[in-house]
């Protein structure tokens, strides 16, 4: 059962909520009480309001058609949602706040998954609003919940200082989750020791948490090849920036240096190595999906 303050969005995508919402367009009590008149021949509401009362009186005309009505309803519900979350968090003890937010994130994740199966101009408005909600909550409450898989839906901003390695503008947040899955499936990292949260933090944060490090389980040659392959996804990802970050560690737990990476690639030219072929194939898939 979705959280009550997300019920509106849940109904929009799962229970013909758009049709239900438009059914309230005709004879809408809120619009009528605010002075709007419905013009049937044009299928919109009109409000003619005097803004300057003088000999040169000026009037302001406001028109609300079905699309505007839909957008206004979305904005109103988002405000209600934010207020509900804020009020609920105030009432909860610190130990319960993360649980509440995680529940909201789970529900938003369910809604976004369903939205990916739907199309249309109105659906696009809903998608954009849901992404805005996720982004706003992530920024506002990151001190309570630092990471959730729903954040994959967001776009990483690349303004100066947003992240150490500056992912390219076309690379969406979900890419980093996919990259984590790839590194784990290739056994480059131990997904028990390195959580997705830590992995994503390394690649997307300007100031990663102290515990966020990526320890590789393969030889320097395999690691260097993998890191070289993912360079095209970033503006500032290379051997030098990797060394400066001190966030990437070798099998011995020591920070990788630029010279380690250069030497490993120069001394090994065996591109027929099984691990190399697997990395090439997996990164090729990611490039096709995210570097269009």
């Amino acid at each position: 059962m979705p959280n009550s303050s997300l019920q509106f969005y849940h109904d929009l995508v799962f229970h013909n909520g758009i049709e239900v919402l438009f059914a309230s367009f005709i004879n809408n009590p809120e619009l009528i009480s605010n002075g709007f008149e419905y013009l049937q021949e044009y299928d919109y509401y009109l409000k003619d309001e005097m803004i300057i009362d003088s000999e040169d009186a000026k009037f302001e005309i406001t028109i609300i058609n079905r699309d505007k009505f839909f957008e206004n309803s979305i904005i109103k519900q988002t405000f209600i949602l934010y207020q509900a979350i804020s009020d609920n968090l105030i009432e909860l003890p610190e130990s319960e706040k993360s649980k509440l937010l995680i529940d909201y994130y789970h529900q938003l994740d369910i809604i976004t998954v369903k939205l990916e199966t739907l199309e249309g101009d109105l659906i696009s408005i809903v998608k954009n609003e849901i992404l805005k909600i996720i982004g706003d909550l992530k920024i506002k409450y990151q001190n309570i919940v630092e990471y959730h898989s729903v954040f994959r839906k967001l776009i990483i901003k690349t303004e100066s200082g947003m992240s150490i390695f500056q992912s390219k503008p076309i690379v969406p947040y979900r890419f980093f989750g996919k990259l984590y899955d790839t590194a784990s499936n290739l056994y480059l990292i131990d997904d028990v020791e390195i959580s997705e949260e830590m992995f994503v933090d390394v690649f997307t944060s300007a100031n990663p948490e102290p515990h966020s490090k990526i320890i590789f389980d393969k030889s320097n040659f395999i690691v260097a090849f993998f890191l070289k392959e993912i360079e095209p996804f970033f503006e500032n990802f290379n051997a030098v920036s990797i060394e400066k970050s001190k966030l990437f560690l070798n099998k011995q737990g020591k920070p990788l240096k630029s010279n380690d990476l250069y030497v490993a690639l120069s001394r090994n030219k065996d591109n027929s190595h099984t691990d190399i072929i697997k990395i090439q194939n997996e990164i090729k898939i990611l490039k096709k999906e995210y570097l269009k």
Side-chain angles (χ1 to χ4, degrees):
M1 188 71 181
N3 190 292
S4 60
S5 49
L6 278 172
Q7 188 70 52
F8 172 82
Y9 293 102
H10 192 273
D11 288 345
L12 279 183
V13 299
F14 284 103
H15 302 298
N16 298 319
I18 293 178
E19 288 82 356
V20 173
L21 180 59
F22 279 134
S24 69
F25 181 69
I26 305 298
N27 296 322
N28 185 273
E30 184 176 352
L31 289 175
I32 293 173
S33 66
N34 285 327
F36 284 90
E37 178 186 1
Y38 177 66
L39 303 181
Q40 186 173 0
E41 62 270 35
Y42 300 111
D43 192 33
Y44 61 60
Y45 284 87
L46 181 144
K47 182 178 182 180
D48 190 0
E49 189 176 20
M50 181 185 292
I51 56 175
I52 297 179
D53 185 3
S54 67
E55 289 185 5
D56 298 320
K58 291 187 178 180
F59 294 85
E60 182 177 79
I61 296 176
T62 303
I63 293 175
I64 297 181
N65 58 19
R66 289 179 182 265
D67 286 350
K68 189 63 177 178
F69 174 73
F70 186 77
E71 290 180 21
N72 289 347
S73 298
I74 294 284
I75 293 170
K76 177 182 177 182
Q77 289 299 321
T78 297
F79 176 80
I80 293 172
L81 171 64
Y82 288 165
Q83 193 61 54
I85 293 174
S86 179
D87 292 344
N88 290 335
L89 287 174
I90 289 174
E91 296 174 358
L92 288 175
E94 291 297 324
S95 58
E96 294 293 317
K97 290 183 178 180
S98 63
K99 183 178 179 181
L100 175 71
L101 280 173
I102 288 172
D103 179 59
Y104 276 109
Y105 292 146
H106 283 338
Q107 294 303 321
L108 286 166
D109 203 8
I110 291 171
I111 292 170
T112 57
V113 170
K114 178 62 176 178
L115 279 168
E116 289 169 0
T117 69
L118 305 175
E119 295 181 350
D121 293 340
L122 296 179
I123 290 298
S124 294
I125 292 173
V126 179
K127 286 179 180 178
N128 291 336
E129 191 67 15
I130 291 295
L131 290 176
K132 175 181 177 297
I133 290 170
I134 294 169
D136 287 348
L137 296 181
K138 176 181 181 292
I139 292 170
K140 188 171 183 179
Y141 299 114
Q142 60 185 340
N143 61 315
I144 300 176
V145 176
E146 293 180 4
Y147 181 78
H148 189 278
S149 59
V150 77
F151 296 163
R152 288 188 182 192
K153 313 292 182 181
L154 301 174
I155 304 295
I156 289 293
K157 293 182 179 179
T158 58
E159 290 96 351
S160 177
M162 284 299 292
S163 66
I164 294 173
F165 305 112
Q166 299 294 295
S167 60
K168 290 185 175 177
I170 61 173
V171 176
Y173 200 96
R174 64 180 178 275
F175 160 75
F176 298 96
K178 288 288 187 71
L179 185 62
Y180 172 78
D181 293 339
T182 298
S184 175
N185 293 337
L186 291 172
Y187 300 105
L188 294 171
I189 61 172
D190 182 344
D191 59 5
V192 175
E193 184 175 11
I194 311 298
S195 69
E196 182 176 337
E197 176 186 348
M198 294 164 60
F199 187 92
V200 173
D201 188 38
V202 165
F203 282 104
T204 64
S205 176
N207 296 292
E209 294 295 320
H211 64 275
S212 293
K213 309 278 185 186
I214 297 177
I215 304 174
F216 289 102
D217 290 338
K218 294 288 187 178
S219 67
N220 279 2
F221 169 50
I222 302 301
V223 172
F225 187 86
F226 172 74
L227 296 176
K228 189 70 177 175
E229 282 290 290
I230 65 175
E231 278 187 17
F233 295 96
F234 302 88
E235 304 285 1
N236 183 40
F237 190 78
N238 51 57
V240 174
S241 63
I242 288 169
E243 176 178 351
K244 287 183 177 179
S245 74
K246 298 182 180 179
L247 299 172
F248 299 87
L249 313 182
N250 62 20
K251 291 170 65 174
Q252 289 73 42
K254 296 180 179 179
L256 285 168
K257 298 186 182 224
S258 56
N259 193 55
D260 297 334
L261 301 174
Y262 293 139
V263 170
L265 289 174
S266 65
R267 290 181 179 175
N268 295 276
K269 303 294 184 181
D270 183 13
N271 289 335
S272 65
H273 191 289
T274 303
D275 284 335
I276 295 299
I277 294 174
K278 287 181 179 178
I279 290 171
Q280 283 179 321
N281 291 338
E282 291 299 320
I283 301 303
K284 186 181 295 184
I285 293 172
L286 293 179
K287 286 178 179 177
K288 185 175 181 181
E289 183 173 358
Y290 297 109
L291 292 181
K292 296 177 182 179

